[in-house]
Amino acid sequence: MSSLRVIAVRGPVIDFACEGDLPGIETAVIVDPGGLHVTCEVQAHLGRSRIRAIALEPTQGLSRLMRAEPTDAPVTVPVGAAVLGRLLDVMGRTGDEGPALPAETPRRAIHQPVPELAQKGTEISVFSTGIKILDLLAPLAQGGKAALFGGAGVGKTVLVTELIHAMVTDYGGVSVFAGVGERSREGHEMLHDMDTYGVLDRTVLVYGQMNEPPGARWRVPLTALTIAEHIRDVDRRNVLFLMDNVFRFVQAGAEVSGLLGRMPSRVGYQPTLETEVAALQERIASAGTRAITAIEAVYVPADDFTDPAVAALSTHMDSTVVLSRDLAAQGIYPAIDPLRTTSALLDPAIVGDDHARTAADVRELMEHYEELRDVIALLGVEELGREEQLLVGRARRLQRFLSQPFFVAAPFTGIEGRSVPVTDTIAGCRQIIEGACDDWAEASFYMLGTIDEARQREDARRAEAA
């Protein structure tokens, strides 16, 4: 086996002198195995006798000439039934103050090949969430990938948390959550919430926190995905894979790239941006009869959807959900933009004619309203023709009907959450579009579930007015 010595430590980047064969790229090296035991991953060969690695753990206390031990294998993490209900870090160590994992827990390398095309299933199954605007305009596919794009403070994390609540309780598989660059408070809240919902025994939480080295934040999605792949391939169960926030994975990769001395590419991102994103996203797939279904929150820097990281991520998605700062400012939650939210599944052959037609009519109506907003702001709605006033009223009612109280927000809003079947959503939208609710107050549609609730609220309002 090769003999390694530390010759330079620059933050999370460590250079080693090597006697013997050089360790392979992406294999693990343990620095000071008898003491600090810091795990690194080889990233570059600098010559015949030098390598450069990125640390996955803090490097405080490391010094030159320390001995290191190559493992000649990638980093491995614990997988299987033992990790269910646990909170883990990038190395697979528990962080929930529970008992240690059993010594016989199987381990799996975090670098795995992409499933072959012949293994992937061809059947498309729609994944119902109970969230009206999502099920109507951006249906999710089992074994597919959906991204929630939005800037800071528009509700990405709340929407991801609601999806966990809405789907895990009715979902026959296991949920794996990857917290990339999260705050420690968010990790504790998520652990507590999963316990409260009674689904912790079918959930694995994997965190790489903000205060950890960039190497840990860069590799934590691979740790979570490796656990999900084992559940899919060995345990033969469906997996719901959630990631918040995948942009921080790209950010950590950019930090690592800069620390390794690579020339930056567009807007300062790493030159390997597309490769790194593809290596992660292409592993999220169905294999045989079981699938990994992914929902990923994506921070959009400065609300710029032309950002290279956002563009690279969006190319891999089946469903694209865009959150709007304007809708959030109006108090309409979830603040999902109906015009920029799309899904490859919104096809009559998949969701049915009625669903596809209703979604198209909703978009058409909302687009017409958007075109008239400047005129309304300047002259007032009274200056519009009678027919256009009716269309604007229907669009505003539709906008409010597609708002929805969330279960996870109930402690803060005081409104009980709602889960709405897609058939009820379509029926409600059709009534509004066809003018059956033209004489109802807009407030009757705000933050509720089905159209029947809106009718009850309108009847109560009229009775009070009388």
Side-chain angles (χ1 to χ4, degrees):
M1 183 177 284
S2 305
S3 172
L4 300 177
R5 292 279 179 184
V6 175
I7 56 173
V9 180
R10 293 183 297 278
V13 176
I14 304 174
D15 288 357
F16 299 91
C18 177
E19 294 181 9
D21 295 335
L22 295 178
I25 301 294
E26 293 185 344
T27 59
V29 170
I30 311 298
V31 183
D32 193 22
L36 294 171
H37 199 278
V38 176
T39 303
C40 307
E41 188 178 87
V42 178
Q43 291 297 316
H45 294 163
L46 303 180
R48 294 180 180 274
S49 60
R50 286 181 62 196
I51 61 170
R52 180 166 290 170
I54 195 83
L56 304 185
E57 301 173 89
T59 56
Q60 286 87 348
L62 296 190
S63 62
R64 293 178 64 196
L65 303 182
M66 272 188 171
R67 190 172 67 85
E69 182 180 293
T71 63
D72 294 325
V75 172
T76 61
V77 293
V79 294
V83 301
L84 292 178
R86 305 304 301 269
L87 187 149
L88 309 174
D89 66 6
V90 67
M91 301 302 300
R93 292 182 293 248
T94 57
D96 53 10
E97 298 182 350
L101 296 175
E104 65 274 12
T105 303
R107 301 183 72 88
R108 185 172 173 138
I110 65 170
H111 297 286
Q112 295 290 334
V114 174
E116 293 181 10
L117 196 59
Q119 291 180 284
K120 297 183 180 180
T122 55
E123 289 186 13
I124 298 175
S125 175
V126 176
F127 207 70
S128 180
T129 67
I131 298 174
K132 289 184 288 189
I133 192 166
L134 269 189
D135 288 343
L136 179 67
L137 298 180
L140 310 182
Q142 186 148 317
K145 297 182 279 285
L148 312 177
F149 292 98
V154 294
K156 295 186 300 299
T157 300
V158 174
L159 188 52
V160 167
T161 310
E162 179 69 11
L163 282 164
I164 294 173
H165 176 274
M167 296 161 83
V168 172
T169 49
D170 302 320
Y171 188 61
V174 175
S175 174
V176 177
F177 181 85
V180 187
E182 294 285 89
R183 305 163 185 87
S184 58
R185 168 186 60 79
E186 291 171 328
H188 288 296
E189 284 179 358
M190 185 68 74
L191 188 66
H192 174 73
D193 289 346
M194 294 299 100
D195 197 20
T196 303
Y197 301 151
V199 296
L200 186 60
D201 61 335
R202 291 189 284 124
T203 305
V204 184
L205 305 175
V206 187
Y207 277 85
Q209 294 177 185
M210 276 184 173
N211 62 335
E212 293 190 57
R217 288 180 274 122
W218 189 40
R219 289 311 189 202
V220 76
L222 300 187
T223 298
L225 193 49
T226 300
I227 293 169
E229 287 171 331
H230 181 88
I231 295 166
R232 178 195 66 192
D233 299 337
V234 178
D235 298 339
R236 309 301 298 160
R237 300 175 75 178
N238 287 322
V239 185
L240 177 62
F241 182 73
L242 302 115
M243 187 155 33
D244 187 11
N245 186 301
V246 70
F247 177 78
R248 297 198 190 109
F249 158 74
V250 174
Q251 235 178 359
E255 289 180 53
V256 168
S257 181
L259 290 165
L260 293 172
R262 294 174 185 155
M263 184 72 73
S265 183
R266 292 173 55 207
V267 200
Y269 286 109
Q270 60 271 44
T272 53
L273 171 64
E274 300 278 357
T275 306
E276 289 174 16
V277 169
L280 173 68
Q281 299 294 340
E282 291 304 309
R283 285 172 61 181
I284 302 170
S286 58
T289 59
R290 297 293 178 242
I292 298 176
T293 304
I295 298 169
E296 307 171 24
V298 183
Y299 167 69
V300 180
D303 292 340
D304 178 15
F305 283 85
T306 64
D307 186 87
V310 176
L313 289 162
S314 62
T315 58
H316 293 273
M317 300 299 159
D318 302 302
S319 301
T320 301
V321 179
V322 178
L323 287 99
S324 162
R325 193 171 300 281
D326 181 45
L327 288 173
Q330 294 178 49
I332 294 172
Y333 291 100
I336 294 172
D337 188 331
L339 300 181
R340 292 195 289 173
T341 294
T342 59
S343 173
L345 273 72
L346 207 55
D347 185 304
I350 298 171
V351 297
D353 290 331
D354 196 29
H355 185 159
R357 181 167 54 87
T358 302
D361 290 347
V362 166
R363 281 216 178 88
E364 185 180 356
L365 188 57
M366 298 306 292
E367 190 170 4
H368 189 62
Y369 172 51
E370 197 65 29
E371 290 170 357
L372 293 172
R373 283 187 65 183
D374 289 342
V375 176
I376 295 168
L378 286 171
L379 304 175
V381 73
E382 297 80 11
E383 295 301 315
L384 299 176
R386 173 62 182 160
E387 188 177 336
E388 287 187 329
Q389 285 186 30
L390 277 174
L391 292 176
V392 167
R394 289 172 190 171
R396 289 175 61 85
R397 289 176 179 86
L398 201 56
Q399 197 175 58
R400 281 146 184 77
F401 176 66
L402 291 175
S403 68
Q404 186 170 342
F406 281 175
F407 289 96
V408 297
F412 310 104
T413 62
I415 307 172
E416 185 184 350
R418 303 286 195 281
S419 178
V420 183
V422 68
T423 50
D424 290 348
T425 301
I426 293 168
C429 289
R430 288 247 61 92
Q431 288 189 46
I432 295 170
I433 291 167
E434 290 165 4
C437 313
D438 283 352
D439 57 344
W440 297 11
E442 290 178 9
S444 298
F445 298 88
Y446 181 65
M447 282 291 174
L448 43 69
T450 64
I451 197 72
D452 291 335
E453 287 184 57
R455 183 177 288 106
Q456 292 168 13
R457 193 182 285 182
E458 176 66 15
D459 291 343
R461 186 191 66 81
R462 291 184 181 184
E464 189 177 331

